[in-house]
């Protein structure tokens, strides 16, 4: 299916018997892991604003930006611990479809 608008990053997703949330999966799902990730949530900056840092230096900051610090280095405050990608997020609902893995648009 095509999204309603081109380049919509938050498009349609598979909904399987297991839906991955921000909560850690149980041990049996971790044992069936198919990968490891460490990327934090995808956040787009909303607006720019003027502010000052600890040394009273003025700068322009991006509100909502979490992946890059002001100096171009790592972000200050948001870090993502490595996590397991459960195999079950690749599977559609058993009652709807079998014999298919969906490696994009996971559940």
């Amino acid at each position: 299916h095509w999204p309603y608008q081109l380049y919509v990053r938050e498009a349609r997703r598979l909904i399987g018997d297991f839906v991955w949330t921000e909560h850690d999966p149980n041990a049996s799902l971790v044992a069936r892991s198919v990968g490891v990730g460490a990327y934090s949530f995808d956040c787009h900056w909303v607006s720019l604003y003027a502010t000052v840092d600890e040394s009273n230096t003025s700068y322009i900051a991006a509100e909502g930006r979490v992946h890059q610090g002001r100096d171009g280095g790592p972000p200050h405050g948001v870090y993502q611990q490595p996590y397991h990608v459960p195999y079950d997020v690749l599977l559609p609902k058993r009652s709807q479809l079998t014999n298919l893995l969906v490696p994009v648009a996971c559940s």
Side-chain angles (χ1 to χ4, degrees):
H1 293 92
W2 286 92
Y4 299 111
Q5 181 179 352
L6 291 180
Y7 198 71
V8 174
R9 294 177 72 164
E10 292 81 16
R12 298 176 182 183
R13 300 274 179 215
L14 165 78
I15 298 178
D17 290 327
F18 172 75
V19 176
W20 199 8
T21 67
E22 71 272 12
H23 304 291
D24 291 332
N26 63 39
S28 66
L29 290 175
V30 171
R32 295 167 43 105
S33 173
V34 292
V36 176
Y39 189 77
S40 62
F41 66 93
D42 193 8
C43 181
H44 310 275
W45 60 272
V46 178
S47 63
L48 300 176
Y49 64 96
T51 188
V52 295
D53 62 12
E54 308 84 37
S55 63
N56 208 24
T57 304
S58 298
Y59 67 96
I60 302 295
E63 179 185 16
R65 181 76 176 166
V66 297
H67 299 300
Q68 183 177 5
R70 183 182 123 229
D71 56 1
H76 304 288
V78 178
Y79 293 95
Q80 175 64 53
Q81 293 293 331
Y83 52 85
H84 292 271
V85 179
Y87 169 76
D88 300 67
V89 302
L90 306 176
L91 301 173
K93 289 184 178 181
R94 287 187 188 103
S95 62
Q96 296 177 348
L97 190 61
T98 59
N99 200 24
L100 177 72
L101 292 177
V102 183
V104 296
C106 295
S107 174

